[in-house]
Each structure stands twice: as structure tokens, then as C-alpha cells.
Amino acid sequence: MTRAAERCGVAALLWLLLLGAAAAADAMGWLTRMDQALRELDYEGRFVYVHGHNVESLHLVHTVRDGHERERLTSLNDAAREVVRDDDATTCIMPDTGTVSIGPRHPHRRGGLIGLQPQHVGEAYEARVDGPGRVAGRSAVLVSLVPRDRYRYGYRLALDDVTALPLRTEVLDESGVPLVQTLFVDLRVGADVRNVPEPSPARAGRAGPELAVPALRQTRLPWDFSDLPRGFRLAMAAQRALPGDGRELQHLVFSDGVASVSIYIGAPGSHDLEGEAAVGPVNAFGAKVGEFHATALGEVPPATLKAFVAGLRRQSEAVP
């Protein structure tokens, strides 16, 4: 190879590397815009949630007033279940089971849509822009999140090219097959979006007595984790009492910027999960850890949950 040809090859390689870096930066820019849009915009629409052969239609309203978020998610299927969230709490009205439950807001969900922390995404995923698309009659930009290892699923997003709201989201298994899909069929953004009302007293009354979820209490973490899957960070550590038997559970939430894993640790009980289980798209794994029992669950592969439980260690100074 001549020196001129060698210089040409090096220049071409540098050009490809620069193009790749620019594409990744562009993808991260879209993800940052999406995160901001989900938190700051008023939006309303109907979307479908698909998992396997199950299809659910939902209506979502999200508003921001004086810096405070409020959203209402209503099932349009047979049982008109309703979830209302604000900055502090989640209220669930479930007429089909006759209960109303009130508890803390889940830190990693937004109206059934994907939520993420853009600053942490790059460690666990490769983000890329795949090109233009069209969803719900709106032009979109297609963005993929490709996992860097086997401990998380992949994602395909179609973001509105004006607002960056996620018009379609797909969670992909290791073979690229969708496990879960959400798809807006219509969407309104801005001044036409109505305020989110308080849960209807009449509906709450028909649903039956209120069931209060025990409050989370922030607590010091008496556990260590070794060999955590790449990119996962502790997002929450709290403690709550189980209703009925008085047992105390430690509740930990880890996030890799997109996916989250919840871990519940406490004294062994008669109904503890042993081994693997799945409820819809959520996997779970339970096992004894010394004198305690731990259950891990999340929309992640079972290997991830096993790694969390296997790496769980009681801090020596916290042992009674």
C-alpha cells in the first residue's frame, strides 16, 4: 500500500468515526428532548398497550401548572380503571376489584410511557437515529437504544419530530422481537389539553373503601451489592411495613437510565417467591439470602434479576 493510499484509508476511518459520534450525539439530543417534553408539556391522547395477545386501550392526560405535574391514565377496556398521579402521590381507582389505593408515585414511569435519565443512558446502551417515520398522523424520528450486554432489553422509539414526545415505544428481546409496544392513535399537545381533575368522589365511592398503601420511609441502606450489571445505580432506598402481618420490607430501586429493577428484602414469609416468575412483561426472581428473603422484579431479562439477588450482601456492621 502506498503512503498516499494509507493516508486516504486513515482519513476515511476518521471520517466514519466522526460520523458515528455525530449520530450518537444526535440520538442523545432527541432523548434529552423527549425527557424534557414528558415532564414539561401538556399532552393528551389515546394509545394502545400490547403485550403478547393482550391489547389494552388507554387515555392519558398530562398537565403542568405552576411547575407541578399532574396526569390521569384511564383504561378504555371493560373495567374503567383510573390512575391519577401528581408530584407526591398515586391514586388508583379500580371499580372491578372494589378498591381505591393511595401510594407514592413510581419514580420511573410516566403515564405508562417510557421514562429515562439521558445522562446515564450511554453507559448501558448505544443510542442511534434510524431515520424518519410516521405515527398517529404525525411525522416522527426513529431512535434505537441497543443494549451493550445481555442484562437489559433493547428499545425502538418513534419521537414526534416537533415535540419529541414518544409516539411509539417497543421493548425488544434478545432476538429483536417486541415484548411490549405502546402506540398513540391520536395526540393533542399544548393549549387545547384540559386540566386533570381530581378523582371523581362518585366513582371512588362506587369502587369501595379506600385501601391505604403503607408509606415509604427513607432509610439507611444496610446492604451491599457486588458485581451489579453495568450501568445500574441505586435510585431509591426505603422501608415499609406489610399490611396484615407487620413484616418490614426494605425496598430498593436501581436504574440504568432506562430500565429499573425493584428489590424487596425482608424476613421470610409463607408466600415468598422461590425461583423465577413472570406477570405480563415483568419478570421476577426470589431466593433466600442468609436469614432474609429477596425478590427482584422489573422489565429486564431474568439473568439481570438473578445477578442482583446473587450479589446481595448484608453489611457486616448492620448485622444484629
Side-chain angles (χ1 to χ4, degrees):
M1 178 183 293
T2 67
R3 184 170 297 178
E6 185 177 343
R7 286 199 300 268
C8 183
V10 171
L13 178 59
L14 289 173
W15 178 249
L16 288 174
L17 290 173
L18 288 172
L19 284 177
D26 192 32
M28 291 307 301
W30 277 103
L31 294 175
T32 300
R33 286 186 59 197
M34 183 193 84
D35 176 62
Q36 184 177 4
L38 284 170
R39 288 185 287 106
E40 299 180 1
L41 294 183
D42 292 350
Y43 47 90
E44 176 182 8
R46 292 174 298 153
F47 66 93
V48 292
Y49 175 89
V50 182
H51 171 252
H53 298 293
N54 300 314
V55 180
E56 185 170 7
S57 299
L58 301 118
H59 177 247
L60 171 66
V61 185
H62 177 275
T63 58
V64 181
R65 299 292 181 266
D66 299 322
H68 298 288
E69 290 185 75
R70 189 169 176 82
E71 64 189 21
R72 183 182 66 188
L73 183 65
T74 305
S75 171
L76 302 178
N77 287 28
D78 295 337
R81 297 181 300 275
E82 208 171 81
V83 178
V84 178
R85 296 184 178 96
D86 59 22
D87 292 338
D88 302 316
T90 300
T91 302
C92 304
I93 302 177
M94 305 179 68
D96 51 343
T97 60
T99 63
V100 176
S101 62
I102 299 176
R105 178 174 181 154
H106 193 295
H108 301 289
R109 283 292 177 187
R110 293 190 169 278
L113 307 176
I114 184 174
L116 53 77
Q117 300 164 300
Q119 69 273 23
H120 297 316
V121 168
E123 185 175 352
Y125 303 86
E126 175 193 352
R128 67 190 186 202
V129 174
D130 295 330
R134 194 165 182 82
V135 179
R138 304 171 73 99
S139 297
V141 174
L142 307 181
V143 177
S144 290
L145 291 172
V146 182
R148 298 189 186 276
D149 57 34
R150 65 188 182 94
Y151 291 111
R152 64 215 86 224
Y153 294 132
Y155 297 82
R156 277 199 301 252
L157 311 172
L159 307 182
D160 181 64
D161 71 353
V162 174
T163 66
L165 288 169
L167 302 174
R168 184 181 68 226
T169 301
E170 296 175 306
V171 183
L172 311 174
D173 69 10
E174 297 87 342
S175 302
V177 176
L179 293 168
V180 179
Q181 300 180 66
T182 59
L183 174 67
F184 270 100
V185 295
D186 61 58
L187 179 66
R188 291 170 294 286
V189 182
D192 293 337
V193 176
R194 59 194 176 192
N195 285 328
V196 179
E198 295 287 340
S200 166
R203 288 201 61 209
R206 288 197 301 271
E210 181 177 299
L211 173 64
V213 176
L216 292 172
R217 303 188 302 278
Q218 297 302 314
T219 183
R220 183 179 64 85
L221 181 63
W223 299 92
D224 286 325
F225 285 81
S226 61
D227 300 321
L228 284 182
R230 174 181 181 173
F232 279 98
R233 295 171 174 82
L234 182 66
M236 187 187 78
Q239 193 162 341
R240 69 162 29 134
L242 276 181
D245 62 8
R247 280 195 300 160
E248 291 279 328
L249 282 184
Q250 196 95 27
H251 180 199
L252 314 177
V253 178
F254 289 81
S255 172
D256 67 0
V258 184
S260 63
V261 172
S262 287
I263 303 175
Y264 298 88
I265 309 167
S270 57
H271 299 293
D272 289 335
L273 172 66
E274 297 291 341
E276 296 183 30
V279 179
V282 177
N283 289 312
F285 177 76
K288 288 194 67 176
V289 179
E291 298 179 356
F292 296 85
H293 185 275
T295 301
L297 66 156
E299 285 187 11
V300 294
T304 310
L305 305 177
K306 293 178 182 178
F308 270 94
V309 173
L312 183 61
R313 299 289 182 272
R314 181 80 167 169
Q315 292 179 0
S316 57
E317 65 271 21
V319 176

